[in-house]
Amino acid sequence: MDIVEELLKGNRLALSRAITAIENEYDEAMDIMKKLYPHTGHAFVLGITGPPGAGKSTLTDKLARAYRAQGKTVGIIAIDPTSPFTGGAILGDRIRMNGLTMDEGVFIRSMGTRGSLGGLSHKTADAVKAMDAFGKDIIFVETVGVGQSEVDIVKAADTTMVVLIPGMGDDIQAIKAGILEIGDVFTINKADHDGADKLVREMNMMLDLDGLMTDWRPPIQKVIASQNEGITETIENIEKHFKYISENGILTKRRTERSKNEMLDVLHSNIGSYITNKLVETGKMDEYVEQIKARETDPYTVVSNVMKDMLK
């Protein structure tokens, strides 16, 4: 099977194989991405982030169904914790969205964090491009709930939605310095629980005091995702934000910055692979360490020589 050719024809198996190659860094992954790249740049990417237990997967499920009702095709990348035993994604998010798996207009893929501190697999951006080239109109990137380190979502999304729930208490103060400042749209899920109105007031106060206000005031929407309440309003907020960033040149700036970050990520990845293949696996790294330990050379000279070899 020619993976790229079949993917561009709409073959779901080819898309799955492409993402597997990307995630596992197979030899053909780079060639696949080179061929897919000219076909990307069309999908709207929505990042969904928030603390554990906020109901992000349930909300994603309901939003995806609502977009499908509009006739739009949907891709979902659910970033799951990586199993310490197999290195694979635990797949909890995909289980919670199981009802969507029979819909041909929806493609769901779970990816493991693989040790990524920002809550995002470093291969997420390439998986997004594969779904984009496949022809998905909207791509959700739902991150593992690890708190403020999830600011990495900004690098992958056009619009970022932060999901919070009542009853967080003082925890909201701890979160403020991280994910609250990346939110374009805020959603208070489980709004039937005590404290929902209080949380909305606290959020509004924080936004007033933020000092980073622009022409866009992030809306705060109460929802009960499990009962499908507030979903229509949430989509309206998302679409208003997309319209705002499209008309003000912000979308272009974000996507330019994303391209820059992706290029740097590829550079870092290739440098890491070079070090692993040429130094670690050949045993040269151990030789250098022994020479440094004996003061026969120094780390700076070694690194300088390694860089020269790389650039030959």
Side-chain angles (χ1 to χ4, degrees):
M1 175 193 288
D2 184 321
I3 290 178
V4 173
E5 184 180 331
E6 289 299 314
L7 185 154
L8 295 174
K9 288 180 182 177
N11 185 322
R12 292 168 65 90
L13 177 59
L15 175 57
S16 181
R17 288 184 176 177
I19 295 176
T20 296
I22 290 164
E23 190 173 16
N24 293 291
E25 299 181 343
Y26 293 161
D27 291 341
E28 65 266 31
M30 187 75 78
D31 285 335
I32 289 172
M33 291 311 305
K34 287 177 182 177
K35 293 174 183 176
L36 290 180
Y37 198 84
H39 303 277
T40 63
H42 308 292
F44 167 59
V45 183
L46 174 66
I48 300 180
T49 187
K56 297 187 293 293
S57 295
T58 302
L59 184 58
T60 298
D61 176 87
K62 301 300 183 185
L63 290 172
R65 291 173 189 273
Y67 277 119
R68 288 294 294 134
Q70 295 178 8
K72 295 177 179 176
T73 57
V74 175
I76 299 172
I77 299 174
I79 308 297
D80 278 322
T82 300
S83 166
F85 304 106
T86 65
I90 295 175
L91 308 183
D93 285 328
R94 186 153 61 174
I95 290 169
R96 286 188 286 277
M97 292 182 276
N98 205 36
L100 291 170
T101 56
M102 301 302 292
D103 187 340
E104 286 291 316
V106 178
F107 188 93
I108 305 172
R109 180 65 179 238
S110 291
M111 298 180 72
T113 54
R114 306 256 170 134
S116 175
L117 295 177
L120 277 177
S121 162
H122 72 290
K123 294 300 177 185
T124 301
D126 285 346
V128 166
K129 289 194 200 72
M131 288 192 182
D132 187 359
F134 186 76
K136 293 303 180 188
D137 298 312
I138 297 169
I139 301 170
F140 294 80
V141 180
E142 184 206 325
T143 67
V144 57
V146 294
Q148 50 185 298
S149 62
E150 299 208 72
V151 293
D152 276 7
I153 186 69
V154 175
K155 297 176 184 176
D158 296 320
T159 295
T160 299
M161 180 169 69
V162 176
V163 185
L164 299 170
I165 51 172
M168 297 176 64
D170 293 337
D171 289 346
I172 194 168
Q173 298 296 336
I175 292 171
K176 177 181 180 293
I179 60 175
L180 285 193
E181 293 176 358
I182 67 169
D184 299 308
V185 175
F186 292 102
T187 301
I188 310 300
N189 195 17
K190 305 181 184 180
D192 51 339
H193 292 193
D194 290 341
D197 290 335
K198 179 174 180 286
L199 179 55
V200 171
R201 288 195 301 271
E202 289 177 348
M203 292 285 297
N204 276 314
M205 288 176 60
M206 288 179 180
L207 289 172
D208 289 339
L209 295 170
D210 194 8
L212 296 175
M213 295 302 296
T214 62
D215 293 335
W216 175 257
R217 164 86 181 195
I220 304 170
Q221 178 65 47
K222 292 194 294 183
V223 305
I224 307 173
S226 60
Q227 298 176 29
N228 218 38
E229 293 184 16
I231 300 302
T232 300
E233 293 82 356
T234 298
I235 286 181
E236 288 174 358
N237 288 337
I238 292 166
E239 292 180 347
K240 283 177 185 175
H241 180 259
F242 184 68
K243 184 172 185 288
Y244 168 75
I245 60 176
S246 298
E247 292 176 349
N248 289 276
I250 297 170
L251 179 62
T252 300
K253 288 179 182 177
R254 288 188 176 189
R255 290 184 172 179
T256 300
E257 187 66 20
R258 186 190 310 168
S259 297
K260 175 184 172 183
N261 288 330
E262 288 169 1
M263 186 174 70
L264 288 172
D265 184 57
V266 172
L267 278 169
H268 289 152
S269 178
N270 285 350
I271 291 170
S273 296
Y274 177 89
I275 291 170
T276 298
N277 295 334
K278 300 293 185 179
L279 299 182
V280 178
E281 292 180 356
T282 62
K284 289 198 75 172
M285 179 71 80
D286 293 332
E287 292 178 19
Y288 285 138
V289 170
E290 289 301 318
Q291 291 171 12
I292 291 169
K293 190 169 66 174
R295 296 300 188 272
E296 295 171 4
T297 186
D298 58 82
Y300 316 101
T301 300
V302 169
V303 171
S304 178
N305 290 336
V306 168
M307 293 302 295
K308 287 176 183 176
D309 290 339
M310 282 183 59
L311 296 173
K312 282 181 180 178

